[in-house]
């Protein structure tokens, strides 16, 4: 009897070892690049056979980091990885973000850099909104509650001397709902932090054009106080940029600000698993880029640039891969 129990125990152990780790990828709201990027990643990893990957729709960066911190269970072979902006990862790691003050997300580790996200302030030409200060008295969405979009929107508004209380109405919508509301005339402007192009905003541009209007991205002059305050808040994490007019069919190129995006996974994710996820991703970059236009900036070179410069450490499995391909020493 005892021998039989030992045999059964060994069989159970062997079965557990044979099972692939389950990696749940926190993405974002539908219509945003995170959602499509995470779905494409899961497909690549599943086909490569490195993990059992499952993308989940969320409110974005902070939701994803909370899932990583609170839901990862190594004993069950379940690991939550997060698509996140670099500014969100930073304040979650340091505990500066209120939701992470009591328990910072110190266990997050970077796998790779994904792409830059533009801080969009979207409106239409007919709205009359030309600068941030014109939002006073308007119906404005600042992004989903507690999202990176909302935090960066509030930072820019504060820097521009605009209080949300000055809006005729404040909404807190995900990008697809905000774009629909602006198209239908129930919203005047909305903030969105996302990759270029964001599908919902492309659709909005087309919708406005059919109505004889045109999309307008409110510019943020790199030399303005608004830009300078934001850049000082996240040194090295926010950058100035220009969105070509071809992206959303705006009348001109638009200056503004970018934040980076990274994939982070828990430190407890086994080294060989993280290595396998890196290898599968970079050996299937063309597949990823075909699925998500923003992934054109996903590369070993861009990942290596972040190594050693970011407060959040890299995962040992990611380090091993980067050293193997000669990207870092």
């Amino acid at each position: 009897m005892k021998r039989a129990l030992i045999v059964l125990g060994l069989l159970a152990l062997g079965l557990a070892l044979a099972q692939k780790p389950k990696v749940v990828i926190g993405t974002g709201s539908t219509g945003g690049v995170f959602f499509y990027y995470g779905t494409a990643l899961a497909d690549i990893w599943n086909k490569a056979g490195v993990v059992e990957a499952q993308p989940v729709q969320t409110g974005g960066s902070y939701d994803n980091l909370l899932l990583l911190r609170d839901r990862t269970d190594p004993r069950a072979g379940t690991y939550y990885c997060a698509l996140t902006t670099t500014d969100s990862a930073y304040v979650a790691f340091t505990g500066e973000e209120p939701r992470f003050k009591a328990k910072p997300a110190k266990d997050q580790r970077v796998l790779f850099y994904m792409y830059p996200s533009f801080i969009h302030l979207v409106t239409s030409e007919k709205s009359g909104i030309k600068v941030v200060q014109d939002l006073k008295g308007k119906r404005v969405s600042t992004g989903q509650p507690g999202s990176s979009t909302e935090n960066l929107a509030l930072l820019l508004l504060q820097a521009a001397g605009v209080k949300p209380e000055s809006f005729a109405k404040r909404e807190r919508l995900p990008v697809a709902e905000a774009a629909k509301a602006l198209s239908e005339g129930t919203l005047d402007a909305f903030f969105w932090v996302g990759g270029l192009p964001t599908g919902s905003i492309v659709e909005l541009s087309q919708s406005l054009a059919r109505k004889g209007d045109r999309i307008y991205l409110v510019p943020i002059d790199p030399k303005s106080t608004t830009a300078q305050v934001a850049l000082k808040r996240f040194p090295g994490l926010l950058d100035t940029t220009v969105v070509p007019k071809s992206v959303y069919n705006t009348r001109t190129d638009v200056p503004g600000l970018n934040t980076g995006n990274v994939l982070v996974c828990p430190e407890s994710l086994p080294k060989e698993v993280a290595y396998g996820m890196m290898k599968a991703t970079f050996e299937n970059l063309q597949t990823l880029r075909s699925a998500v236009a923003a992934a054109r900036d996903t590369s070993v070179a861009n990942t290596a640039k972040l190594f050693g410069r970011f407060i959040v450490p890299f995962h040992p499995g990611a380090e091993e891969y980067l050293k193997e391909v000669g990207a870092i020493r």
Side-chain angles (χ1 to χ4, degrees):
M1 183 68 167
K2 188 176 180 181
R3 186 177 178 183
L5 288 172
I6 292 172
V7 171
L8 286 172
L10 289 172
L11 286 171
L13 177 63
L15 182 62
L17 290 172
Q19 289 177 336
K20 294 174 189 171
K22 182 177 181 180
V23 171
V24 183
I25 311 168
T27 63
S29 59
T30 54
V33 179
F34 269 17
F35 179 78
Y36 299 109
Y37 194 107
T39 301
L41 264 187
D43 190 51
I44 288 170
W45 295 341
N46 283 327
K47 286 180 178 175
V50 291
V51 293
E52 179 191 329
Q54 176 189 346
V56 292
Q57 183 181 336
T58 68
S61 298
Y62 291 116
D63 278 0
N64 299 342
L65 290 163
L66 286 168
L67 287 169
L68 183 154
R69 187 192 70 181
D70 300 335
R71 298 284 294 277
T72 291
D73 186 356
R75 290 175 298 179
T78 301
Y79 305 88
Y80 279 77
C81 293
L83 305 190
T84 176
T85 60
T86 49
D87 58 280
S88 299
Y90 178 96
V91 294
F93 188 85
T94 61
E96 294 173 57
E97 162 60 32
R99 283 162 290 181
F100 295 88
K101 187 175 182 179
K103 187 182 176 184
K106 291 286 188 182
D107 57 338
Q108 56 172 310
R109 295 292 182 267
V110 177
L111 258 66
F112 56 84
Y113 178 88
M114 300 191 301
Y115 59 88
S117 273
F118 182 65
I119 304 175
H120 299 70
L121 176 45
V122 184
T123 185
S124 68
E125 287 191 345
K126 288 185 178 180
S127 72
I129 299 169
K130 300 299 179 187
V131 295
V132 179
Q133 288 77 7
D134 291 336
L135 293 176
K136 294 176 183 178
K138 302 293 186 180
R139 300 163 298 174
V140 183
S141 172
T142 52
Q144 288 178 274
S147 64
S148 176
T149 292
E150 183 176 65
N151 282 9
L152 287 171
L154 294 177
L155 176 64
L156 291 181
L157 289 168
Q158 182 181 30
V162 178
K163 295 181 179 180
E165 297 80 47
S166 68
F167 299 157
K169 185 180 183 183
R170 179 185 174 187
E171 297 280 10
R172 303 171 82 186
L173 305 172
V175 63
E177 290 181 32
K180 184 172 183 287
L182 199 151
S183 176
E184 293 175 348
T186 58
L187 194 69
D188 298 310
F190 66 89
F191 285 90
W192 165 247
V193 178
L196 298 175
T198 291
S200 293
I201 301 177
V202 171
E203 292 173 14
L204 171 63
S205 175
Q206 296 166 347
S207 172
L208 289 173
R210 288 193 293 269
K211 298 175 182 179
D213 201 351
R214 193 169 193 153
I215 196 169
Y216 183 81
L217 297 183
V218 176
I220 306 293
D221 186 334
K223 296 178 182 178
S224 67
T225 302
T226 302
Q228 290 304 309
V229 168
L231 291 168
K232 286 177 183 176
R233 173 68 183 87
F234 293 109
L237 298 183
L238 297 188
D239 293 304
T240 58
T241 189
V242 175
V243 178
K245 59 184 179 182
S246 59
V247 175
Y248 295 122
N249 193 33
T250 49
R251 205 172 288 277
T252 61
D253 295 345
V254 183
L257 300 174
N258 268 345
T259 183
N261 295 286
V262 288
L263 172 72
V264 297
C265 291
E267 185 180 16
S268 58
L269 181 72
K271 181 179 178 180
E272 66 276 9
V273 176
Y275 172 88
M277 289 159 64
M278 289 284 288
K279 186 176 176 68
T281 300
F282 288 109
E283 288 184 353
N284 291 279
L285 265 187
Q286 195 50 54
T287 300
L288 182 60
R289 289 170 177 170
S290 296
V292 189
R296 61 184 172 274
D297 290 302
T298 302
S299 68
V300 168
N302 283 339
T303 298
K305 286 178 187 175
L306 195 64
F307 185 80
R309 293 177 52 233
F310 192 31
I311 192 171
V312 180
F314 270 63
H315 195 287
E319 280 192 48
E320 182 177 328
Y321 180 81
L322 293 172
K323 287 176 180 176
E324 183 180 284
V325 297
I328 61 172
R329 292 183 179 180

